[in-house]
Amino acid sequence: MNGADTAFVLISAALVMLMTPGLAFFYGGMVRVKSALNMLMMSFIALGIVSVLYVLFGYSLSFGADTGGIIGSLEFVGLDGIDPDTLTGGDEGIPVFAFVLFQMLFAVITPALMSGALADRVKFSAWAVFITLWVSIVYFPVAHWVWAEGGWLFDLGVIDFAGGTAVHINAGIGGLAAVLVVGKRIGFKKEPMRPHSLPLVLLGAALLWFGWFGFNAGSALAADGTAANMALNTQVATATAVLGWLLYERIRHGAFTTLGAASGAIAGLVAITPAGASVNALGAIAIGLVAGVACSWAVSWKFKLNYDDSLDVVGVHLVGGLIGTLMVGFLATEGAGLTQFGKQALGAFSVMAFTFVVTWVLAKLVDVTMGLRASEDDEVAGVDQAFHAETAYDFSQVGTSSARAAVTPAAKPAAGEADAAGATTTDEGKKVDA
């Protein structure tokens, strides 16, 4: 066992785990107060559901022996046949358990990314059923295509170091398909639906940025030069995307917004994910700049095309994932050119086609059988109270004492009694210091 590599992968896995609560804060701050807890829970529940599914059969379907280039076998159901001494490289490597944990947390965050597209209007129980089906039928096969030996995109030579296709394009196009089934929020394009807490949005973006070093560099599965290059490019591309988004926003809308800075960071992180290990720092700058500007422009599509992607999953994750996946075809330091670009395009658009169709069917199935959409009354009143019997903020006790003092005249103390200042009133009404 390589102790240094094992420690690196375990730490990276912990960073990837942190990304899902970070995503919850990022999305949670972007919705209205009445939906804040529900938005947090839509991400958080993925930690519970997908972690269990991954042990039961997710790892086996993703990385088990190949079956026709499409799916893994069931040889590792319940992690059967794997023990603490089983290493990824045979006689030398990292424990397979470390790899399982790392990949499990990729599977966790992918359906959570979709939740932003459906904010404010989905039944929580239906969401739990939907993501159970989605990771089983969509994510696990696509992960096998891209990352497992024998997977058809892996064997084709598609470059996807850390999840441009399997994670971001997958979640982005899946979110779009689900949105088309669920429909638009009540008041879409008519009522203001502003973020209720921009500090939470920025906190979530910062946690995602921090955790993304584990997501990207950790995908090297070794503490080596590839991991270092990926980490550097992650920082550079993200920083450039922030600048690109803000520049476009200033020219287009006249202001540099906090929401724009946070969204630009996520766009850069998404775009560099598939490409960062195959480009140099200048290539990372180019990818980040294009992603920042293009994703800032793309978030307006929902108003023009009339689909209600609540928190811009399509504009950021689908578009950003496509940018990184396609640009690496021309910017890779080795093997770049039209041939590689063609492979990248085939990988990206095949995942889009498969995921869109299957996700639409799954969402429709859940909608027909148990109802995916919240009732109109629950949506208007707020899904926090409807599904969780809680609210994010309790204002009922704020200012109660001071407000009462302001509207209630102070009672005159009786003779011989001390008032609040510690003075005693005599029979003649004169105060005497206590």
Side-chain angles (χ1 to χ4, degrees):
M1 184 183 75
N2 187 311
D5 290 347
T6 300
F8 176 69
V9 172
L10 291 174
I11 292 169
S12 295
L15 289 172
V16 178
M17 181 272 160
L18 183 65
M19 291 173 67
T20 298
L23 179 71
F25 283 126
F26 179 70
Y27 281 166
M30 290 174 68
V31 297
R32 292 167 288 178
V33 169
K34 64 181 181 179
S35 305
L37 287 180
N38 179 256
M39 196 71 260
L40 295 172
M41 283 291 287
M42 288 179 80
S43 286
F44 213 78
I45 192 63
L47 281 164
I49 292 173
V50 181
S51 297
V52 174
L53 293 179
Y54 204 79
V55 168
L56 294 179
F57 55 82
Y59 174 73
S60 192
L61 293 180
S62 299
F63 293 98
D66 176 65
T67 304
I70 302 299
I71 194 70
S73 69
L74 294 176
E75 63 180 313
F76 298 126
V77 167
L79 302 185
D80 183 50
I82 304 172
D83 60 46
D85 296 323
T86 307
L87 303 181
T88 56
D91 294 332
E92 183 178 357
I94 64 172
V96 170
F97 281 155
F99 179 71
V100 171
L101 175 64
F102 184 70
Q103 288 294 335
M104 173 193 293
L105 294 163
F106 274 60
V108 165
I109 198 171
T110 306
L113 292 172
M114 287 195 299
S115 67
L118 303 168
D120 297 332
R121 61 197 188 278
V122 172
K123 290 181 182 177
F124 187 71
S125 56
W127 169 250
V129 172
F130 173 72
I131 64 173
T132 299
L133 295 172
W134 191 86
V135 294
S136 302
I137 300 173
V138 176
Y139 179 82
F140 297 150
V142 172
H144 182 82
W145 296 2
V146 176
W147 290 320
E149 290 186 13
W152 75 278
L153 292 180
F154 181 91
D155 287 351
L156 183 65
V158 173
I159 298 172
D160 186 359
F161 191 74
T165 53
V167 177
H168 298 292
I169 291 175
N170 214 3
I173 196 66
L176 177 60
V179 160
L180 296 180
V181 173
V182 171
K184 297 181 281 292
R185 288 169 291 179
I186 296 171
F188 176 64
K189 296 202 295 188
K190 297 177 182 178
E191 300 175 9
M193 298 180 180
R194 301 186 185 93
H196 89 277
S197 177
L198 287 170
L200 268 187
V201 174
L202 206 59
L203 172 63
L207 289 172
L208 282 165
W209 194 334
F210 177 67
W212 224 293
F213 286 104
F215 193 87
N216 280 357
S219 292
L221 301 178
D224 59 12
T226 299
N229 183 53
M230 188 62 173
L232 174 64
N233 287 341
T234 297
Q235 178 65 23
V236 170
T238 306
T240 309
V242 171
L243 300 179
W245 188 299
L246 290 177
L247 178 62
Y248 177 86
E249 191 175 56
R250 177 66 177 83
I251 294 171
R252 183 74 175 82
H253 303 292
F256 305 107
T257 69
T258 305
L259 181 60
S263 299
I266 305 306
L269 290 163
V270 169
I272 199 61
T273 291
S278 301
V279 301
N280 58 27
L282 294 179
I285 289 174
I287 290 171
L289 181 61
V290 173
V293 174
C295 292
S296 184
W297 168 63
V299 297
S300 65
W301 292 355
K302 63 184 179 183
F303 300 110
K304 299 174 182 177
L305 301 178
N306 202 34
Y307 63 88
D308 186 10
D309 172 16
S310 305
L311 306 183
D312 303 318
V313 176
V314 174
V316 174
H317 292 277
L318 176 58
V319 174
L322 281 171
I323 288 168
T325 300
L326 297 177
M327 287 185 69
V328 71
F330 290 118
L331 295 177
T333 54
E334 295 181 9
L338 284 175
T339 299
Q340 187 62 48
F341 177 80
K343 293 178 181 180
Q344 299 302 115
L346 178 60
F349 292 110
S350 61
V351 169
M352 285 178 63
F354 170 78
T355 299
F356 181 87
V357 172
V358 178
T359 303
W360 190 92
V361 171
L362 292 176
K364 198 69 176 177
L365 176 65
V366 174
D367 192 42
V368 169
T369 55
M370 62 185 298
L372 186 54
R373 179 84 183 242
S375 70
E376 182 175 343
D377 288 344
D378 287 343
E379 183 178 341
V380 171
V383 288
D384 283 3
Q385 194 64 52
F387 302 131
H388 308 294
E390 298 169 310
T391 56
Y393 307 99
D394 182 5
F395 297 111
S396 63
Q397 302 299 318
V398 175
T400 302
S401 299
S402 58
R404 185 181 297 118
V407 299
T408 305
K412 182 178 179 180
E417 293 180 351
D419 65 8
T424 302
T425 303
T426 65
D427 291 338
E428 293 80 17
K430 295 181 181 180
K431 288 186 177 181
V432 179
D433 290 336

